[in-house]
Amino acid sequence: MRLQCYCSIVLLLLLHAFAASSAATDFDFFYHVQQWPCSFCDTKKGCCFPNNVKPAADFGIHGLWPNYAACRPATADADADAPEIRISKTKKKCWPESCNATDSFSLLQVRDLLGDMDRNWGTLSCKSNDSTPFWSHEWEKHGTCSNMDQHTYFAAALQFKARFNLTRILLDAGITPSDEKTYFLSSILDAITEATGSKPSIGCNKGVAGEMQLFEVYQCVDRTGTRPVDCPGPVQGRKCSDKVQFPAF
């Protein structure tokens, strides 16, 4: 009787482990995305500050996004089996998203991180000056596909930012915020590559006056969320010119 009970427990544990492993999301790397606040604000949409307090002149986290090294063909069967995978207009899936609709964001799970999140991951959108909806969106769209729990996911993004301080990296390379100067994009890429040991991708936008601005830095990170790796190519939809402005904030 004891042997039968023991075997039943072992079987249940094996089934649980199999279910957990089968539920893991398949992806190749993370984009750790940080944005320069002035470039976010210097557009026709403008910006608003979290809790009506202007943040420091420092890159802020946009998100930690699971991604594929190359977009994958989307088959009808795959779409039916994995509705959480985003399908592009060209019938390809380029990243997973919204992998668990039942795992809602909870402030209680990250309560010890909230001060750090306020300083480094605040919203600039005018939809709300409370960052909670922003964090909720990032967790539910991207974090649920990370194979991490909520605390591990947000802590990983914060720790990576602290480890590779982009603002300090650029300042040390002589690339300082300015409304007059422009910088070669290659110089920005080289400075970050040298400091981190991996090549990032850069996303740009246009300011109110039409100038090309450094907007976002996409650092690629391995599946553990800790080790920088080379990005597979440029970010789609965020093209930059050879020279860009790094506007003062």
Side-chain angles (χ1 to χ4, degrees):
M1 185 68 178
R2 289 183 179 178
L3 179 61
Q4 183 180 4
C5 181
Y6 174 78
C7 291
S8 297
I9 292 172
V10 171
L11 178 60
L12 286 173
L13 290 172
L14 288 172
L15 289 172
H16 177 75
F18 175 77
S21 64
S22 64
T25 305
D26 176 30
F27 64 95
D28 296 312
F29 67 95
F30 286 105
Y31 272 131
H32 186 284
V33 188
Q34 296 186 59
Q35 56 192 12
W36 182 243
C38 187
S39 299
F40 185 105
C41 294
D42 185 27
T43 61
K44 292 180 180 179
K45 289 183 179 180
C47 69
C48 296
F49 300 144
N51 301 316
N52 298 316
V53 177
K54 184 178 180 180
D58 186 23
F59 281 90
I61 298 172
H62 186 172
L64 184 65
W65 304 341
N67 215 76
Y68 299 134
C71 293
R72 305 175 181 184
T75 65
D77 290 341
D79 298 349
D81 292 340
E84 77 279 4
I85 301 299
R86 174 168 179 168
I87 308 300
S88 72
K89 292 181 180 179
T90 56
K91 302 301 181 184
K92 292 182 179 181
K93 51 188 180 183
C94 301
W95 56 82
E97 66 177 43
S98 304
C99 295
N100 187 349
T102 65
D103 191 1
S104 299
F105 176 69
S106 169
L107 286 172
L108 288 175
Q109 294 195 39
V110 295
R111 57 187 179 275
D112 61 313
L113 301 175
L114 290 176
D116 208 1
M117 289 168 67
D118 278 329
R119 288 187 296 273
N120 295 286
W121 203 331
T123 183
L124 290 171
S125 170
C126 290
K127 294 179 180 179
S128 172
N129 67 355
D130 176 7
S131 295
T132 304
F134 180 31
W135 299 331
S136 178
H137 169 79
E138 290 302 310
W139 166 252
E140 291 169 12
K141 181 175 181 179
H142 302 289
T144 56
C145 303
S146 67
N147 301 328
M148 301 176 183
D149 60 39
Q150 293 188 34
H151 190 278
T152 304
Y153 173 77
F154 285 98
L158 291 165
Q159 289 166 8
F160 193 86
K161 179 183 186 297
R163 181 181 171 195
F164 300 108
N165 186 312
L166 292 179
T167 306
R168 174 50 55 192
I169 288 170
L170 294 183
L171 291 176
D172 288 346
I175 301 170
T176 58
S178 171
D179 292 331
E180 290 78 35
K181 295 181 181 178
T182 58
Y183 298 95
F184 283 106
L185 185 67
S186 58
S187 299
I188 296 172
L189 288 168
D190 288 347
I192 298 172
T193 301
E194 182 177 349
T196 65
S198 63
K199 185 177 181 179
S201 290
I202 301 293
C204 295
N205 67 357
K206 288 187 177 181
V208 174
E211 68 279 23
M212 187 68 71
Q213 302 180 134
L214 169 62
F215 176 43
E216 290 184 321
V217 177
Y218 292 70
Q219 292 172 275
C220 294
V221 191
D222 73 351
R223 286 167 52 92
T224 70
T226 60
R227 185 174 66 86
V229 296
D230 286 340
C231 289
V235 178
Q236 298 297 319
R238 291 292 185 188
K239 293 183 179 180
C240 300
S241 57
D242 292 339
K243 297 188 75 173
V244 299
Q245 191 179 74
F246 183 30
F249 186 57

